[in-house]
């Protein structure tokens, strides 16, 4: 890209003369067209096109230029879901097609090439083009040929492009759509990551996840009964190692389009709130948005910042599409936890609902006291009794007697009282094999009870070791935590 | 060698055209003993088509007899009332945009799509009604198969409707002296100065 | 040729090839049908006069025999006006098929001009769009299967296959009621009046003809809007110029007075 000094100077002068959002008449005195900043300057630029989910770098230019876009149409057989193949018709070999990025006022020289192996003719309608058919009439291209047309990007925004060859619905259903971004003259504020996501609905003769090469089903498309609703053309496109990656503290901008052909998207990122949404891809933004509507043939821009690590799921919130048709993607945020914003699970207590034998007041009181560091043995015993009744008494009996020959007793149990640490370990990790309690051998299975949290186990053990003739001190949650940390849970047990 | 030959060819064609009513053999230059054999036609030349024309007024000529000077060609039919009058007007505009000396070195070829009804006699009437002097205008009939061939080569789409009229695209093409299409215009409502300039460029 | 269609047919068939060639041509009786693209505003039906049609598309071997006799149509010799740069690109040489072009595969990478020249040399012509659509409307048992969703699905399934696979040899698909094979699922085929399909490049402008661009009725609109296989065939043909060639486009010949 070579620019001579004089043309740079001229560009600088013009940029200084024009406000960032132009409404001035053009230099030759003709009536101003919104977004027409005059003829292109400098050497022609070959547009950098990217495949999803990547976005080309910002334009970083302060003058209108001639931008040459070379886009190839290819009919490609690829996986739409694991073991399921589909013949996609694509712009640039991907669904959605390559992302195009220009600046408002640019003169775009568009070359559409149709690969010689294509069966069908194709064309392109870019929603950002002011002109008949959005360019479709001028780009109708037979296989093995190339068409060229030129347009000026008069309006800023994020626009869908798609094939408009008859039958349009079928060409779009086969994946012929993408996004073109026309940056405002002043560009966007910098963010750490920009990503490109586009939803589409797909119609196959076979059922969801039925294996093999699936043909397009015209009747399902007419009836608007998709088999798949996907981001970026395949079920695994944004999952696993293809998940979008961001670090804690970074800002993200998503360019999200909806190619359709039929469905409107209720776009939501589980666990995130969009700080700003340029709804419908227009000039104004809404703030603090949970779910935004993206019409078929439309797009939106959203920004948010990553504060808490974890996997954030991109969905179409019309939920059966997310969970039964594949409209699901992952944005993975890595980095240090921030408990002040999100703690993770704090209390997991047994909820008996209307099945509670006694009311849960004792447990609640104990929890409150523990939080204040003032938990008394009496409070623990009362809480432990309630918890024992719901969980342990089934086997060990409400009287602590156990079952002759099957479940060992806890009442006056020498085995229980001899070793507190062992008792905690058994509650957490279970026990299999013979034990001798009060002179009798029991050979049974006690399942791990690690789903109880440290407070609950401490309260239960305090109760058990202070009931039915047993006498001991308090068992603290810290002691339980210590054993939980230093021993391993058996397979399948909770944390 | 080709450059030296062109004036001779042009002279030959002009002489032949001036002789109204004389039968035009396919290769006029063969009768000019001083002229060497013609250069082969370029790959894009329409003169490779072998199309035969019947001029209004009755004489027959081969399309490739027009080789040697620029030809502005379009296709129409005489009973058309919507676009064809504008097409005719556009041809006249292009002719009027040239100087008389330039105009007589160009041929304005209008071939009818309606092989069945636009006989040479009917076309002669048409030319008279629309004040199309022949030459430099050449209003011609061609057989249906040749109409299809010529339209295909020019990129003109057409089909006949049940009532006998035609649905067709309107396009005016400039052929260079070897019959290769070098410029096109679909501007009918106003003048197309760019196209006239292209015609002029062919005369240099 | 006023001796009646069948006599005319016999006369034509006798001109070329004799019995062997005649067996390769299916007689198609005349009839009427409703085409997808209506002939005119208030005219919905079209009459097709009796004619004969090749049972199968023209093969690489048959086209090779043609160019052996007519060197002007060989790969590399045909001028750009008549065939584009991809003409017979899959052949190894001007008069040689090579490994990439099976003799029994339908010939592709041929232009309209080349197809027409072949058919003229064989004593015939290209079928018109109506003749082609009329015969292609039939399946194995019915003259008109176009409204049957299963029939359409079969055709659309071919469109779903990507192009990289080698073409099948001709004559493998079931013959329809006229005894004609391979009209669907093998290749696109040239017709004489491909340029008369008058569909604008942008399919959404139907009903809004640019009157200055098209004389007459303007761009024709499709009558049967859900016969997608036919619409796609029309879209392909209307994207072509006469000298274009593509990897999936071949032809077969028709015989009888042109309509």
């Amino acid at each position: 890209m070579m620019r001579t000094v004089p043309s740079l100077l001229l560009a600088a002068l013009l940029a200084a003369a024009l406000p960032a959002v132009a409404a001035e008449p053009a230099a030759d005195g003709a009536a101003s067209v919104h977004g027409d900043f005059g003829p292109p300057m400098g050497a022609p630029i070959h547009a950098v096109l990217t495949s999803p989910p990547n976005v080309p770098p910002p334009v970083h230019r302060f003058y209108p230029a001639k931008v040459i876009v070379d886009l190839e149409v290819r009919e490609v057989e690829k996986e739409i879901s694991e073991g399921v193949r589909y013949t996609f018709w694509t712009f640039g070999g991907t669904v959605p097609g390559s992302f195009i990025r220009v600046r408002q006022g640019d003169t775009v020289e568009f070359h559409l090439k149709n690969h010689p192996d294509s069966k069908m003719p194709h064309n392109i309608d870019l929603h950002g083009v002011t002109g008949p058919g959005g360019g479709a009439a001028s780009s109708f291209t037979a296989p093995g040929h190339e068409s060229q047309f030129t347009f000026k990007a008069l309006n800023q925004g994020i626009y869908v492009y798609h094939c408009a060859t008859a039958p349009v619905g079928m060409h779009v259903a086969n994946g012929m759509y993408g996004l073109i971004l026309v940056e405002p003259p002043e560009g966007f504020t910098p963010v750490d990551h920009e990503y490109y996501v586009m939803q589409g609905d797909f119609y196959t003769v076979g059922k969801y996840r039925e294996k093999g090469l699936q043909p397009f089903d015209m009747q399902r498309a007419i009836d608007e009964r998709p088999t798949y609703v996907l981001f970026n053309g395949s079920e695994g496109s944004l999952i696993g190692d293809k998940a979008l990656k961001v670090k804690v503290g970074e800002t993200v901008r998503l360019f999200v389009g909806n190619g359709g052909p039929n469905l409107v998207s209720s776009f939501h990122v589980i666990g995130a709130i969009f700080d700003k949404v340029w709804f419908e891809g227009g000039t104004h933004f809404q703030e603090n948005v949970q779910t935004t509507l993206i019409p078929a043939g439309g797009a939106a821009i959203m920004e948010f910042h990553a504060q808490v690590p974890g996997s954030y799921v991109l969905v179409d919130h019309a939920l059966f599409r997310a969970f039964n048709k594949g409209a699901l993607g992952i944005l993975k945020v890595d980095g240090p936890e921030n408990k002040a914003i999100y703690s993770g699970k704090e209390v997991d207590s047994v909820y008996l609902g209307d099945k509670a034998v006694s009311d849960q007041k004792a447990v609640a009181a104990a929890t409150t006291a523990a939080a204040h560091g003032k938990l008394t043995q009496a409070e623990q015993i009362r809480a432990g009794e309630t918890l024992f009744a719901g969980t342990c008494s089934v086997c060990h009996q409400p009287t602590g007697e156990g079952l002759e020959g099957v479940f060992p007793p806890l009442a006056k149990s020498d085995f229980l009282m001899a070793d507190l640490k062992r008792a905690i370990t058994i509650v957490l990790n279970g026990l299999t094999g013979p034990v001798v309690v009060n002179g009798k051998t029991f050979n049974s299975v006690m399942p791990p009870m690690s789903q109880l949290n440290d407070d609950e186990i401490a309260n239960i053990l305090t109760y058990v070791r202070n009931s039915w003739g047993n006498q001991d001190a308090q068992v603290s949650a810290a002691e339980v935590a210590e054993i939980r940390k230093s021993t391993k849970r058996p397979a399948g047990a909770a944390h | 060698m080709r450059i030296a030959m062109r004036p001779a060819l042009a002279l030959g064609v002009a002489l032949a055209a001036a002789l109204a009513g004389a039968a035009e053999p396919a290769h006029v230059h063969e009768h000019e003993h001083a002229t060497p054999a013609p250069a082969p036609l370029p790959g894009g030349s329409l003169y490779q088509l072998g199309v035969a024309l019947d001029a209004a007024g009755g004489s027959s000529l081969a399309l490739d007899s027009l080789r040697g000077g620029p030809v502005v060609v379009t296709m129409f039919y005489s009973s058309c009332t919507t676009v064809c009058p504008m097409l005719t007007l556009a041809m006249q505009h292009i002719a009027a945009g040239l100087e008389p000396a330039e105009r007589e070195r160009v041929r304005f070829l209008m071939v009818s799509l309606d092989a069945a009804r636009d006989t040479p006699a009917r076309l002669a009437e048409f030319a008279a009604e629309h004040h199309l002097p022949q030459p430099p205008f050449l209003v011609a009939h061609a057989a249906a198969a040749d109409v299809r061939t010529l339209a295909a080569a020019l990129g003109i789409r057409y089909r006949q409707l049940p009532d006998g009229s035609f649905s067709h695209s309107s396009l005016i093409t400039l052929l260079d002296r070897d019959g290769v299409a070098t410029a096109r215009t679909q501007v009918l409502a106003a003048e197309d100065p760019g196209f006239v300039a292209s015609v002029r460029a062919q005369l240099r | 040729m006023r001796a009646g269609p069948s006599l005319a047919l016999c006369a034509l068939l006798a001109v070329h090839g004799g019995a062997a060639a005649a067996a390769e041509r299916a007689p198609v009786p005349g009839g009427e049908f409703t085409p997808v693209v209506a002939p005119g505003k208030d005219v919905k039906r079209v009459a097709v006069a009796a004619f004969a049609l090749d049972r199968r598309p023209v093969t690489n071997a048959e086209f090779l025999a043609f160019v052996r006799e007519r060197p002007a149509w060989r790969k590399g010799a045909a001028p750009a006006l008549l065939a584009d740069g991809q003409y017979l690109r899959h052949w190894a040489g001007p008069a040689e098929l090579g490994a990439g072009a099976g003799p029994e595969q339908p010939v592709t990478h041929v232009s309209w001009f080349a197809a027409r020249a072949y058919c003229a040399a064989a004593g015939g012509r290209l079928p018109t769009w109506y003749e082609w659509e009329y015969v292609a409307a039939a399946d194995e048992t019915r003259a008109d299967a176009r409204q049957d969703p299963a029939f359409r699905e079969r055709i659309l399934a071919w469109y779903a296959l990507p192009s990289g696979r080698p073409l099948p040899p001709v004559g493998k698909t079931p013959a329809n009621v006229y005894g004609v094979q391979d009209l669907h699922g093998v290749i696109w085929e040239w017709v004489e009046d491909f340029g008369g399909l008058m569909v604008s490049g942008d399919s959404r402008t139907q009903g809004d003809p640019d009157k200055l661009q098209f004389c007459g009725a303007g761009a024709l609109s499709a009558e049967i809007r859900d016969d997608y296989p036919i619409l796609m065939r029309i879209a392909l043909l209307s994207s072509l110029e006469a000298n274009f060639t593509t990897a999936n486009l071949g032809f077969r010949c028709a015989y009888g007075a042109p309509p």
Side-chain angles (χ1 to χ4, degrees):
Chain A
M1 203 164 54
M2 293 196 296
R3 286 175 241 157
T4 61
V5 172
S7 73
L8 265 178
L9 267 174
L10 178 65
L13 274 169
L14 270 164
L18 292 168
V21 181
E24 309 278 276
D28 63 3
S32 78
V33 178
H34 179 68
D36 191 339
F37 304 141
M41 294 187 253
I45 297 166
H46 282 270
V48 170
L49 306 182
T50 55
S51 296
N54 297 313
V55 176
V59 167
H60 280 154
R61 212 183 337 114
F62 49 85
Y63 57 89
K66 177 172 215 168
V67 179
I68 298 170
V69 174
D70 273 301
L71 193 54
E72 183 196 47
V73 172
R74 287 209 296 282
E75 297 172 6
V76 182
E77 186 191 304
K78 299 204 277 193
E79 271 207 345
I80 188 171
S81 179
E82 199 181 303
V84 187
R85 300 189 72 81
Y86 188 83
T87 302
F88 294 97
W89 298 344
T90 72
F91 286 106
T94 57
V95 175
S98 309
F99 195 103
I100 306 171
R101 188 167 193 156
V102 300
R103 179 182 182 267
Q104 183 181 9
D106 279 347
T107 296
V108 180
E109 183 184 284
F110 205 101
H111 296 252
L112 188 72
K113 303 161 201 242
N114 192 357
H115 195 275
D117 284 346
S118 293
K119 271 212 185 98
M120 312 302 302
H122 296 288
N123 61 10
I124 189 167
D125 167 6
L126 300 112
H127 287 185
V129 170
T130 303
S138 319
S139 58
F140 193 39
T141 312
H145 287 86
E146 175 179 340
S147 298
Q148 177 186 324
F149 68 99
T150 301
F151 67 93
K152 195 170 260 193
L154 298 176
N155 297 68
Q156 58 174 282
I158 179 80
Y159 297 101
V160 170
Y161 68 76
H162 63 88
C163 181
T165 301
V168 189
M170 181 175 180
H171 283 249
V172 172
N174 282 347
M176 298 199 78
Y177 44 78
L179 290 182
I180 174 168
L181 174 66
V182 183
E183 282 190 10
E186 69 276 13
F188 289 121
T189 50
V191 290
D192 295 300
H193 295 282
E194 288 181 322
Y195 285 117
Y196 171 27
V197 176
M198 199 153 183
Q199 181 172 326
D201 22 295
F202 297 88
Y203 303 84
T204 60
V205 170
K207 294 208 232 317
Y208 177 63
R209 292 191 176 164
E210 191 178 309
K211 308 248 180 276
L213 176 67
Q214 291 295 336
F216 168 70
D217 190 327
M218 177 63 73
Q219 195 56 50
R220 287 187 75 135
I222 292 171
D223 295 342
E224 299 190 27
R225 293 186 301 121
T227 325
Y228 297 91
V229 180
L230 303 171
F231 296 122
N232 294 4
S234 76
E235 260 205 273
S237 67
L238 297 173
I239 308 243
D241 56 357
K242 298 207 211 113
L244 304 178
K245 293 188 185 45
V246 169
K247 291 202 182 49
V248 167
E250 290 185 323
T251 47
V252 186
R253 181 178 295 132
L254 293 181
F255 296 101
V256 184
N258 182 7
N262 289 322
L263 305 187
V264 170
S265 175
S266 308
F267 188 74
H268 174 86
V269 177
I270 301 178
I273 299 155
F274 302 130
D275 295 327
K276 289 190 179 135
V277 176
W278 282 262
F279 47 91
E280 297 174 358
T283 315
H284 301 291
F285 56 84
Q286 179 59 284
E287 297 181 89
N288 301 319
V289 176
Q290 63 192 295
T291 302
T292 187
L293 275 175
I294 309 181
I301 306 176
M302 45 217 83
E303 282 179 12
F304 58 96
H305 56 296
Q307 296 181 285
V308 176
S311 290
Y312 293 78
V313 189
L314 282 62
V315 293
D316 180 340
H317 215 288
L319 292 169
F320 281 90
R321 298 177 195 174
F323 300 110
N324 297 73
K325 296 196 174 79
L328 204 137
I330 306 280
L331 180 110
K332 191 140 186 346
V333 178
D334 279 317
E337 305 219 328
N338 189 343
K339 295 272 189 198
I341 294 178
Y342 187 77
S343 68
K345 195 173 209 177
E346 284 172 324
V347 177
D348 182 346
S349 47
V350 174
Y351 176 65
L352 297 169
D354 56 3
K355 292 185 168 59
V357 172
S358 55
D359 70 300
Q360 294 293 298
K361 275 203 206 128
V363 178
T367 310
T368 316
H372 288 106
K374 290 200 182 78
L375 186 61
T376 64
Q377 180 159 345
E379 282 168 332
Q380 277 196 282
I381 290 172
R382 276 198 290 279
E385 182 179 2
T386 314
L387 293 162
F388 179 89
T391 312
C392 323
S393 63
V394 181
C395 300
H396 291 290
Q397 303 310 307
T399 51
E401 283 175 350
L403 204 59
E404 181 80 31
V406 186
F407 304 124
L410 298 171
K412 295 205 190 75
S413 161
D414 55 4
F415 183 85
L416 169 67
M417 299 311 285
D419 184 346
L420 173 60
K421 283 205 167 105
R422 181 177 62 186
I424 296 174
T425 309
I426 290 173
V427 173
L428 276 172
N429 300 329
L431 185 65
T432 336
V435 292
V436 182
V437 179
N438 297 347
K440 299 214 177 95
T441 309
F442 295 85
N443 194 344
S444 195
V445 178
M446 168 152 161
M449 292 283 133
S450 59
Q451 75 280 6
L452 300 168
N453 65 28
D454 299 339
D455 300 85
E456 287 166 335
I457 294 177
N459 294 343
I460 291 172
L461 281 170
T462 307
Y463 164 70
V464 155
R465 289 168 72 92
N466 285 286
S467 303
W468 317 301
N470 297 335
Q471 201 162 24
D472 193 32
Q474 283 175 281
V475 179
S476 72
E479 288 172 284
V480 179
E482 161 92 43
I483 305 281
R484 189 191 294 271
K485 207 170 94 172
S486 61
T487 61
K488 238 169 92 148
R489 239 57 62 227
H495 67 102
Chain B
M1 188 159 157
R2 280 189 72 202
I3 295 164
M5 193 180 55
R6 277 201 203 117
L9 262 178
L11 182 63
V13 172
L15 273 171
L19 295 165
E24 295 293 333
H27 298 280
V28 148
H29 39 264
E30 283 170 7
H31 293 261
E32 303 287 329
H33 297 294
T35 338
L41 289 167
S45 169
L46 265 68
Y47 298 143
Q48 299 170 105
L49 296 174
V51 163
L53 301 172
D54 304 306
S59 59
S60 295
L61 67 155
L63 181 67
D64 61 9
S65 65
L66 298 176
R67 184 181 185 185
V71 176
V72 177
V73 55
T74 190
M75 300 184 82
F76 79 113
Y77 64 108
S78 70
S79 53
C80 164
T81 50
T82 46
V83 175
C84 304
M86 302 187 68
L87 205 51
T88 308
L89 203 59
M91 294 287 277
Q92 287 169 316
H93 271 144
I94 295 165
L98 299 167
E99 300 300 314
E102 297 172 317
R103 198 177 305 139
E104 67 185 28
R105 295 165 59 200
V106 178
R107 283 296 162 269
F108 297 87
L109 176 61
M110 299 177 64
V111 180
S112 172
L113 296 164
D114 196 348
R117 295 184 303 182
D118 275 347
T119 60
R122 170 73 203 112
L123 292 177
E125 279 175 18
F126 176 87
E129 282 159 19
H130 289 82
H131 310 293
L132 304 173
Q134 312 211 52
F137 280 85
L138 179 54
V139 184
H141 164 277
D146 277 352
V147 169
R148 185 73 65 186
T149 304
L150 185 59
L154 287 170
I156 288 176
R157 314 299 227 195
Y158 72 98
R159 77 190 282 115
Q160 186 161 31
L161 304 175
D163 64 357
S165 66
F166 286 81
S167 198
H168 66 100
S169 58
S170 42
L171 178 68
I172 299 175
T173 309
L174 169 67
L175 305 179
D176 71 10
R177 32 190 83 198
D178 284 322
V180 179
T182 48
R184 288 176 185 83
T185 181
Q186 289 184 289
V187 177
L188 305 181
E191 287 180 23
D192 185 344
F195 189 79
V196 175
S198 303
V199 178
R200 199 168 271 132
Q202 288 300 318
L203 292 167
R204 282 190 225 111
Chain C
M1 304 268 191
R2 287 275 149 252
S6 49
L7 260 175
L9 234 46
C10 290
L12 269 169
L13 294 174
V15 164
H16 273 267
E24 299 307 311
R25 301 172 192 178
V28 180
E32 259 197 13
F33 79 120
T34 308
V36 165
V37 177
K41 258 212 199 107
D42 303 309
V43 181
K44 303 289 178 240
R45 305 272 291 166
V46 161
V48 174
F51 70 109
L53 188 67
D54 279 342
R55 289 185 195 279
R56 305 160 177 185
V58 173
T59 62
N60 280 314
E62 289 164 339
F63 204 78
L64 178 64
F66 165 69
V67 304
R68 281 210 170 114
E69 287 181 15
R70 283 169 175 73
W73 282 107
R74 291 187 189 174
K75 171 173 164 170
L81 179 82
L82 302 178
D84 70 15
Q86 317 260 38
Y87 177 57
L88 296 176
R89 68 182 286 216
H90 60 313
W91 283 19
E96 186 199 338
L97 294 184
E104 288 309 301
Q105 285 175 329
V107 68
T108 53
H109 290 294
V110 285
S111 68
W112 179 78
F113 289 112
R116 249 169 143 229
Y118 176 98
C119 290
R125 53 177 176 80
L126 284 175
T128 63
W129 167 252
Y130 284 147
E131 287 176 330
W132 198 96
E133 192 190 345
Y134 177 65
V135 178
D139 68 1
E140 293 90 271
T141 53
R142 298 166 284 189
D144 191 349
R146 289 174 302 163
Q147 296 303 312
D148 181 353
F151 181 66
R152 291 182 191 169
E153 283 294 342
R154 265 166 58 185
I155 301 171
L156 284 177
W158 174 61
Y159 298 166
L161 293 175
S163 215
R165 300 149 188 233
L167 292 170
V170 301
K172 296 295 180 213
T173 63
N176 68 12
V177 292
Y178 302 109
V180 178
Q181 297 171 286
D182 301 340
L183 291 163
H184 302 291
V186 185
I187 46 167
W188 305 114
E189 294 184 18
W190 282 112
V191 292
E192 169 75 4
D193 54 345
F194 80 95
L197 291 166
M198 308 298 279
V199 174
S200 88
D202 185 341
S203 79
R204 302 154 303 170
T205 60
Q206 290 189 357
D208 176 30
D210 181 342
K211 289 233 148 51
L212 276 184
Q213 227 217 343
F214 291 112
C215 201
L220 294 174
S221 62
E223 280 305 304
I224 303 171
R225 284 175 187 277
D226 56 358
D227 194 341
Y228 279 38
I230 295 281
L231 286 180
M232 290 162 75
R233 216 166 259 279
I234 294 175
L236 187 279
L237 287 173
S238 47
S239 73
L240 302 170
E241 298 290 338
N243 67 337
F244 278 18
T245 67
T246 89
N248 288 291
L249 177 63
F251 69 102
R252 71 180 75 209
C253 301
Y255 309 87

